[in-house]
Amino acid sequence: MVAFSADQVYAIAELIRRQRGGAAVVMGALSPRTRNAQVALYQSGEVDFLVATDAIGMGLNMDVDHVAFASTGKFDGRQHRPLQVSELAQIAGRAGRYMNDGTFGVTGDATVPSEETISRIENHQFEPERVFQWRNPHLDFSSVAALMRSLEISPGRSGLAKAQVGDDLEALTRMVRDPDVSGCLRSPMAIKRLWEVAQVPDFRKTLASEHAALLTRLFLFLMDPSKESGGCIPDDWLGRQMQRLDRADGDIDILAARLAHIRTWTYVANRVDWLHNPAHWQERTRAIEDKLSDALHERLTQRFIDRRTSILMKRLRQNEELMTAVNGDGEVLVEGEYVGRLQGFVFVPDPRAEGEQGRILRNAASQALAGEISERAQRLVMAPDADISLSEHGRILWAGHPVAELKGSDNILLPRVELVAGEELNGSARENVQTRLDAWLKMHIANVLAPLIALRDATDVEGLARGIAFRLVENLGTLARETVSEDVRALDQAARGQLRKHGVRFGAYSIFMPALLKPASARLRLTLWALHRATAEQEPFESLPAPPTPGLTSVPADQAAPEGFYEAVGFRVCGTRAVRIDMLERVADLIRPIIAARTYNGGFTVTPDMMSLVGCSGEEFSSLLRGLGYRSQIERVKPPKVEEPKPAEPKTAETKTEEPQPETHTPGMVEEAVEAVPQDEISASDIMAPEGQSPAGEEAETPPDEASAVTSALAPEANLPGEQQALAKTTPDSGAPEQPPAEDTPTEVEMEIWRPQRRRHGGRKEGAERTKSPRRDKRKQSGEQQAHGEKKPPRRGERGPRPQQKPDRKPREREPDPDSPFAALAVLKERVRGNDS
């Protein structure tokens, strides 16, 4: 393929590389070493195409069968003109050798030569050259003007024409304009030396002014005998010029430019009278030129030759069987060349293989893939469960690659398994892999969500408890208590015991299974929830935010998260925060005894313990409480008096060894005792019930003696903030005389008191529709009987008279239940008192 510009040569070579594996490149700008190396690629058969300029017609003998012209015109340095018949024949004559006839033609973009031109090329019929360019060889060096005139002399005979102005004459004209150069031209020898320097070729093809500046520098070095160099080019200056070019990095254009520069210095090094040690510089320039030529050949080969495709095409033409293999890393090799990678059971071809080449590569690789995929299927069937894993996006991984992905089904605990495999995995091997992965997924879910599976398959849960268990399974182990409040209220203690036996906890806000809040269980629950809610066309995990980091008790709630997202990972949205449900229940456990003790008239204050449980404070914690239905108000209250603990009497070593060590009352023991209390006895509505009224219009389930045990076991003053405790107690000065006890009149302080949102008319919020309730009417009638006289009930918005205190009556005696958690609290209380005493 013959073109007449570097850009056109590069474009054609790139096209051939894509379609046929590559081509060698020959241009006049290349060094002879680079041209010969490129031709060797073609001659060896490594490539079948060679793209060249008209330099191919000068001294290159090759086994070329066909010459195709990409253009029939060229730019000769001054104008763009069509090629003469003799020039076309010179290039086309490269086709054919010895007894083999060659052919020539054009590419699709070139103009087809006329029949006359073709006939003249084939029959060697060319017009004779009638005019030749000539320049006077007898130059006059007596002066610069005489030299110019001798160069401008006409030939003076027919058949000869004065040559056009060359680069040397133009350089000479520019050099004599320099004052330093003109000052040196005092003898014919100096003028002759000037003409010798002007004839240095411009291999760099730079601007004429830049080339003339370089030649001026060389001439001044040669004409300055006062220098140590003695009228020669200094070695140190020439060495610096070489050093800048002695680099093999860069692309094709950069290397070609360096090669052009070093060829200029190669010419200079061969002028033995210009240098002190010409042999040294000839060897140095030749070494740099060879280094740059080899680097340029390597870059041309890398860019325009695809060895993989070249070898593949050569084997196919010869009808040879291709050698294919799969190495340990899953790389698929054809004739030792990389063609793709086997990931799991899917072959991923090399993206560089396009079109016909890619199809051939896939067909060749399929020979090796069939056996390898069958072996992989057998290894997966026999692999232990630990080698298989499930990603957060619902993909089953084996050996680090996806082999299947999960799809939603009607059963939230049993999604469908779809294999990620090509057609190469078929028959019994595909069925065995499907069966193995189905069994693994069922076992994986049973292990990670063991409490939930046990609850689903339980045979000892009956009646209404069975319905709640079914809903827990449907919601992956978490239920908002308000959604099943009626069913929970109807459960007796036996039914609740059935659920507690399987790890179900009845909290104030949620009914849940604490064992399913672990990180592994939470991740799997989120995966199953996302698969179950997604439609066939929807990507299950596309719009989901990042789940909370394991270990965090609360995170800022993402308002864009779909409904049910935080519940699936064991969190509940409260205001601007999403709080882990077990921590939310612990906050409720701290709030409940403070409200029950009526330390702040049915309210409570925020304590550091509450905020530390959920990992937030300030406005974030306030938003959390408002999300739970509490409201705050600044009030002036008297903080409760906190008794200072009595100092313990010192004990001797003998006393410590003789007496048994009493149990220490720690906050952890209190929390364990609180956890022992049946939390289903008190729900969120119980905490928020109005004064003097049972929760949700019911009678309280907790017996009076057991409730008093809870209230007395958890001292209300322990829930005060530290600063309020400091205000509530005084420490006597040890050095001051004893003072008579002062009256117990604590100072009122302003505090933010939180109270449950009031419900009116038997739990109805303000603005809600009022309904009749027999229990509410009975309580109303009872309240009116306790009022003074028969007064008219207060109108809406007015404060009615407070009911009279009931007379003290002897509580009903009954035998305490030793298995009750309240009995455990009472025992703990007695131990604490004994320890303090």
mmCIF file of all heavy atoms in Angstrom, residues 32 44 54 65 72 111 117 119 191 288 330 409 452 508 544 549 643 682 721 729 738 775:
data_model
loop_
_atom_site.group_PDB
_atom_site.id
_atom_site.type_symbol
_atom_site.label_atom_id
_atom_site.label_comp_id
_atom_site.label_asym_id
_atom_site.label_seq_id
_atom_site.Cartn_x
_atom_site.Cartn_y
_atom_site.Cartn_z
ATOM 1 N N PRO A 32 17.833 4.254 7.851
ATOM 2 C CA PRO A 32 17.996 2.992 7.119
ATOM 3 C C PRO A 32 17.839 1.763 8.010
ATOM 4 O O PRO A 32 17.274 0.755 7.586
ATOM 5 C CB PRO A 32 19.421 3.106 6.557
ATOM 6 C CG PRO A 32 19.667 4.579 6.447
ATOM 7 C CD PRO A 32 18.947 5.183 7.613
ATOM 8 N N SER A 44 9.683 -11.870 6.565
ATOM 9 C CA SER A 44 9.593 -13.077 7.386
ATOM 10 C C SER A 44 8.195 -13.667 7.406
ATOM 11 O O SER A 44 8.006 -14.773 7.929
ATOM 12 C CB SER A 44 10.041 -12.775 8.815
ATOM 13 O OG SER A 44 9.147 -11.870 9.442
ATOM 14 N N ASP A 54 6.740 6.741 -1.334
ATOM 15 C CA ASP A 54 7.471 6.409 -2.561
ATOM 16 C C ASP A 54 8.913 6.007 -2.285
ATOM 17 O O ASP A 54 9.655 5.657 -3.210
ATOM 18 C CB ASP A 54 7.424 7.577 -3.541
ATOM 19 C CG ASP A 54 7.843 8.883 -2.893
ATOM 20 O OD1 ASP A 54 8.129 8.869 -1.684
ATOM 21 O OD2 ASP A 54 7.872 9.908 -3.597
ATOM 22 N N ASP A 65 3.807 -9.100 -4.099
ATOM 23 C CA ASP A 65 2.961 -9.629 -5.164
ATOM 24 C C ASP A 65 2.077 -8.550 -5.786
ATOM 25 O O ASP A 65 1.733 -8.643 -6.967
ATOM 26 C CB ASP A 65 2.061 -10.744 -4.615
ATOM 27 C CG ASP A 65 2.877 -11.921 -4.099
ATOM 28 O OD1 ASP A 65 3.916 -12.214 -4.715
ATOM 29 O OD2 ASP A 65 2.481 -12.521 -3.081
ATOM 30 N N THR A 72 -2.707 8.902 -6.342
ATOM 31 C CA THR A 72 -1.917 9.005 -7.578
ATOM 32 C C THR A 72 -1.362 10.410 -7.741
ATOM 33 O O THR A 72 -0.966 10.789 -8.846
ATOM 34 C CB THR A 72 -2.777 8.629 -8.800
ATOM 35 O OG1 THR A 72 -3.948 9.457 -8.823
ATOM 36 C CG2 THR A 72 -3.193 7.164 -8.733
ATOM 37 N N THR A 111 -7.838 7.704 -7.411
ATOM 38 C CA THR A 111 -8.337 7.827 -8.788
ATOM 39 C C THR A 111 -7.751 6.702 -9.639
ATOM 40 O O THR A 111 -6.537 6.472 -9.625
ATOM 41 C CB THR A 111 -7.944 9.189 -9.378
ATOM 42 O OG1 THR A 111 -8.455 10.221 -8.524
ATOM 43 C CG2 THR A 111 -8.494 9.345 -10.783
ATOM 44 N N THR A 117 -2.533 5.015 -19.478
ATOM 45 C CA THR A 117 -1.466 5.013 -18.472
ATOM 46 C C THR A 117 -1.127 3.585 -18.058
ATOM 47 O O THR A 117 0.052 3.230 -17.919
ATOM 48 C CB THR A 117 -1.910 5.837 -17.247
ATOM 49 O OG1 THR A 117 -2.222 7.173 -17.647
ATOM 50 C CG2 THR A 117 -0.839 5.847 -16.189
ATOM 51 N N SER A 119 -1.501 0.867 -19.791
ATOM 52 C CA SER A 119 -0.811 0.189 -20.899
ATOM 53 C C SER A 119 0.639 0.623 -20.993
ATOM 54 O O SER A 119 1.543 -0.204 -21.199
ATOM 55 C CB SER A 119 -1.532 0.488 -22.214
ATOM 56 O OG SER A 119 -0.853 -0.067 -23.303
ATOM 57 N N ILE A 191 35.837 31.638 3.127
ATOM 58 C CA ILE A 191 34.588 31.575 2.351
ATOM 59 C C ILE A 191 34.301 30.131 1.948
ATOM 60 O O ILE A 191 33.141 29.688 1.965
ATOM 61 C CB ILE A 191 34.713 32.490 1.115
ATOM 62 C CG1 ILE A 191 34.873 33.942 1.572
ATOM 63 C CG2 ILE A 191 33.502 32.352 0.219
ATOM 64 C CD1 ILE A 191 35.146 34.911 0.441
ATOM 65 N N ILE A 288 23.868 6.171 19.151
ATOM 66 C CA ILE A 288 22.600 6.836 19.479
ATOM 67 C C ILE A 288 21.598 6.631 18.355
ATOM 68 O O ILE A 288 20.400 6.385 18.594
ATOM 69 C CB ILE A 288 22.842 8.338 19.747
ATOM 70 C CG1 ILE A 288 23.727 8.519 20.988
ATOM 71 C CG2 ILE A 288 21.519 9.068 19.927
ATOM 72 C CD1 ILE A 288 24.087 9.958 21.276
ATOM 73 N N GLY A 330 -7.361 -18.164 35.091
ATOM 74 C CA GLY A 330 -8.549 -18.057 34.264
ATOM 75 C C GLY A 330 -8.321 -17.393 32.927
ATOM 76 O O GLY A 330 -9.282 -17.155 32.194
ATOM 77 N N SER A 409 -38.972 -13.983 44.994
ATOM 78 C CA SER A 409 -40.029 -14.981 44.805
ATOM 79 C C SER A 409 -41.151 -14.691 45.791
ATOM 80 O O SER A 409 -41.085 -13.750 46.578
ATOM 81 C CB SER A 409 -39.465 -16.389 45.022
ATOM 82 O OG SER A 409 -39.081 -16.565 46.376
ATOM 83 N N LEU A 452 -35.296 -17.259 63.314
ATOM 84 C CA LEU A 452 -36.487 -16.998 62.510
ATOM 85 C C LEU A 452 -36.994 -18.276 61.858
ATOM 86 O O LEU A 452 -38.209 -18.518 61.795
ATOM 87 C CB LEU A 452 -36.162 -15.951 61.445
ATOM 88 C CG LEU A 452 -37.351 -15.353 60.703
ATOM 89 C CD1 LEU A 452 -38.244 -14.579 61.663
ATOM 90 C CD2 LEU A 452 -36.882 -14.441 59.580
ATOM 91 N N ALA A 508 -41.473 -1.867 74.063
ATOM 92 C CA ALA A 508 -42.455 -0.779 74.109
ATOM 93 C C ALA A 508 -42.818 -0.298 72.716
ATOM 94 O O ALA A 508 -43.940 0.152 72.486
ATOM 95 C CB ALA A 508 -41.900 0.376 74.943
ATOM 96 N N LEU A 544 -31.118 1.898 46.768
ATOM 97 C CA LEU A 544 -30.996 1.779 48.219
ATOM 98 C C LEU A 544 -29.802 2.585 48.718
ATOM 99 O O LEU A 544 -28.721 2.553 48.108
ATOM 100 C CB LEU A 544 -30.818 0.314 48.613
ATOM 101 C CG LEU A 544 -31.962 -0.639 48.284
ATOM 102 C CD1 LEU A 544 -31.663 -2.017 48.829
ATOM 103 C CD2 LEU A 544 -33.284 -0.131 48.846
ATOM 104 N N THR A 549 -23.477 1.330 59.388
ATOM 105 C CA THR A 549 -22.248 0.600 59.686
ATOM 106 C C THR A 549 -22.445 -0.264 60.927
ATOM 107 O O THR A 549 -23.018 0.202 61.919
ATOM 108 C CB THR A 549 -21.092 1.588 59.918
ATOM 109 O OG1 THR A 549 -20.968 2.423 58.768
ATOM 110 C CG2 THR A 549 -19.788 0.862 60.161
ATOM 111 N N GLU A 643 -29.857 11.631 98.841
ATOM 112 C CA GLU A 643 -29.157 11.348 100.083
ATOM 113 C C GLU A 643 -27.712 10.952 99.792
ATOM 114 O O GLU A 643 -27.437 10.183 98.883
ATOM 115 C CB GLU A 643 -29.851 10.212 100.829
ATOM 116 C CG GLU A 643 -31.271 10.565 101.270
ATOM 117 C CD GLU A 643 -31.908 9.415 102.020
ATOM 118 O OE1 GLU A 643 -31.209 8.375 102.171
ATOM 119 O OE2 GLU A 643 -33.059 9.559 102.454
ATOM 120 N N ILE A 682 -45.735 -3.578 79.437
ATOM 121 C CA ILE A 682 -45.820 -2.129 79.282
ATOM 122 C C ILE A 682 -45.398 -1.783 77.875
ATOM 123 O O ILE A 682 -44.269 -2.067 77.488
ATOM 124 C CB ILE A 682 -44.933 -1.392 80.296
ATOM 125 C CG1 ILE A 682 -45.284 -1.816 81.717
ATOM 126 C CG2 ILE A 682 -45.087 0.111 80.137
ATOM 127 C CD1 ILE A 682 -44.409 -1.211 82.763
ATOM 128 N N PRO A 721 -29.645 14.356 86.011
ATOM 129 C CA PRO A 721 -28.335 14.782 85.516
ATOM 130 C C PRO A 721 -27.427 15.151 86.664
ATOM 131 O O PRO A 721 -27.872 15.499 87.767
ATOM 132 C CB PRO A 721 -28.660 15.989 84.631
ATOM 133 C CG PRO A 721 -30.120 15.854 84.338
ATOM 134 C CD PRO A 721 -30.722 15.173 85.506
ATOM 135 N N LYS A 729 -27.928 18.288 96.539
ATOM 136 C CA LYS A 729 -27.267 17.812 97.742
ATOM 137 C C LYS A 729 -26.226 18.819 98.199
ATOM 138 O O LYS A 729 -25.710 19.594 97.417
ATOM 139 C CB LYS A 729 -26.627 16.445 97.489
ATOM 140 C CG LYS A 729 -25.415 16.495 96.574
ATOM 141 C CD LYS A 729 -24.810 15.127 96.448
ATOM 142 C CE LYS A 729 -23.554 15.188 95.582
ATOM 143 N NZ LYS A 729 -22.939 13.876 95.512
ATOM 144 N N GLU A 738 -20.591 21.333 113.753
ATOM 145 C CA GLU A 738 -21.847 20.764 113.262
ATOM 146 C C GLU A 738 -22.956 21.781 113.425
ATOM 147 O O GLU A 738 -23.072 22.461 114.425
ATOM 148 C CB GLU A 738 -22.161 19.496 114.055
ATOM 149 C CG GLU A 738 -21.160 18.374 113.809
ATOM 150 C CD GLU A 738 -21.588 17.118 114.520
ATOM 151 O OE1 GLU A 738 -22.653 17.152 115.178
ATOM 152 O OE2 GLU A 738 -20.875 16.098 114.412
ATOM 153 N N ARG A 775 -65.975 1.840 78.903
ATOM 154 C CA ARG A 775 -64.977 1.990 79.983
ATOM 155 C C ARG A 775 -64.736 3.453 80.295
ATOM 156 O O ARG A 775 -64.571 3.841 81.445
ATOM 157 C CB ARG A 775 -63.674 1.326 79.575
ATOM 158 C CG ARG A 775 -63.756 -0.182 79.549
ATOM 159 C CD ARG A 775 -62.372 -0.800 79.338
ATOM 160 N NE ARG A 775 -62.430 -2.239 79.387
ATOM 161 C CZ ARG A 775 -61.366 -3.018 79.317
ATOM 162 N NH1 ARG A 775 -60.170 -2.470 79.206
ATOM 163 N NH2 ARG A 775 -61.488 -4.331 79.362
#
